[in-house]
Amino acid sequence: RKEVEQDPGPFNVPEGATVAFNCTYSNSASQSFFWYRQDCRKEPKLLMSVYSSGNEDGRFTAQLNRASQYISLLIRDSKLSDSATYLCVVNIPSGSARQLTFGSGTQLTVLP
Amino acid sequence: IAGITQAPTSQILAAGRRMTLRCTQDMRHNAMYWYRQDLGLGLRLIHYSNTAGTTGKGEVPDGYSVSRANTDDFPLTLASAVPSQTSVYFCASSSQGDITDTQYFGPGTRLTVL
């Protein structure tokens, strides 16, 4: 089983739609959670951190469910510019290593 | 320089050759990382360095070595390249290497080993 699993998609949605991505992680001791965005042939960039209480940044809402070990990302009022791959990222508790594990990503295409 | 730079942008390499991928950051970040990204597998950590002078092995370290002589530079060396090392390589850095830190990525190096 992968440590971080995501539905690869692709998700094709019209402009203005609401879309949600889920991600599950296997290590219950994980403490830090993030969503990164990666545009085609570009480097990943932090979209938002995910906090236990849930957090919102404009049209983006991230939620964490520790009991079920899943993280979600909700995008409201989708824009063409939201088209990208969204990476779910979780830390690995492992001694002194401060490592992050990346999911393989969910591809989103917003259609005009 | 602003952020993280990587060189070369892309490279085609014959199997068996030695290759060093360069990574430089100007943010004075303590921690640096090397990842490879392959289709369907996502980003996998090769090696990391929590601070200058120290390095550690990630998930897929075999066939790669790193050094961290100073804060800014973190080169990745393939001693004898093999076709399975064909990938996109990303260097990243974070301020303290803490698990809550944001990692900032360089633009990547596309490496093809024939």
Side-chain angles (χ1 to χ4, degrees), chain A residues 56-94:
Chain A
E56 187 174 309
D57 182 2
R59 298 181 293 108
F60 299 85
T61 300
Q63 300 226 317
L64 169 65
N65 184 318
R66 286 187 182 273
S68 301
Q69 292 180 213
Y70 82 76
I71 307 151
S72 64
L73 177 68
L74 183 76
I75 306 175
R76 291 181 300 279
D77 189 22
S78 300
K79 310 292 185 190
L80 296 176
S81 58
D82 294 333
S83 297
T85 297
Y86 291 83
L87 307 175
C88 176
V89 185
V90 178
N91 84 293
I92 313 170
S94 175

Side-chain angles (χ1 to χ4, degrees), chain B residues 85-97:
Chain B
Q85 292 178 310
T86 294
S87 188
V88 180
Y89 291 86
F90 288 103
C91 179
S93 72
S94 65
S95 179
Q96 299 298 326

Side-chain angles (χ1 to χ4, degrees), chain B residues 61-83:
Chain B
D62 294 342
Y64 306 95
S65 63
V66 292
S67 61
R68 187 88 183 278
N70 57 60
T71 297
D72 298 345
D73 301 300
F74 191 43
L76 176 74
T77 297
L78 289 66
S80 179
V82 295

Side-chain angles (χ1 to χ4, degrees), chain B:
Chain B
I1 299 178
I4 301 181
T5 58
Q6 292 184 236
T9 301
S10 65
Q11 182 75 45
I12 299 174
L13 188 67
R17 299 295 296 268
R18 180 183 179 90
M19 176 75 190
T20 295
L21 308 185
R22 299 185 297 278
C23 174
T24 300
Q25 53 104 355
D26 66 354
M27 298 178 283
R28 308 303 294 173
H29 282 173
N30 283 322
M32 297 186 75
Y33 314 84
W34 273 106
Y35 294 89
R36 60 177 288 173
Q37 187 173 34
D38 303 289
L39 193 63
L41 295 178
L43 284 151
R44 292 182 292 167
L45 183 66
I46 304 171
H47 285 285
Y48 66 94
S49 169
N50 288 333
T51 188
T54 69
T55 62
K57 293 181 179 181
E59 180 185 355
V60 288
D62 294 342
Y64 306 95
S65 63
V66 292
S67 61
R68 187 88 183 278
N70 57 60
T71 297
D72 298 345
D73 301 300
F74 191 43
L76 176 74
T77 297
L78 289 66
S80 179
V82 295
S84 62
Q85 292 178 310
T86 294
S87 188
V88 180
Y89 291 86
F90 288 103
C91 179
S93 72
S94 65
S95 179
Q96 299 298 326
D98 188 81
I99 57 174
T100 61
D101 281 355
T102 299
Q103 290 192 12
Y104 296 89
F105 285 79
T109 294
R110 296 184 175 277
L111 181 66
T112 302
V113 182
L114 302 176

Side-chain angles (χ1 to χ4, degrees), chain A residues 24-85:
Chain A
T24 58
Y25 61 95
S26 61
N27 193 322
S28 60
S30 295
Q31 298 172 299
S32 297
F33 311 90
F34 310 88
W35 283 101
Y36 276 69
R37 169 193 170 127
Q38 186 172 24
D39 292 295
C40 187
R41 301 178 74 84
K42 298 286 188 181
E43 71 272 22
K45 294 183 180 179
L46 179 70
L47 178 66
M48 57 197 305
S49 301
V50 185
Y51 303 118
S52 295
S53 56
N55 49 299
E56 187 174 309
D57 182 2
R59 298 181 293 108
F60 299 85
T61 300
Q63 300 226 317
L64 169 65
N65 184 318
R66 286 187 182 273
S68 301
Q69 292 180 213
Y70 82 76
I71 307 151
S72 64
L73 177 68
L74 183 76
I75 306 175
R76 291 181 300 279
D77 189 22
S78 300
K79 310 292 185 190
L80 296 176
S81 58
D82 294 333
S83 297
T85 297

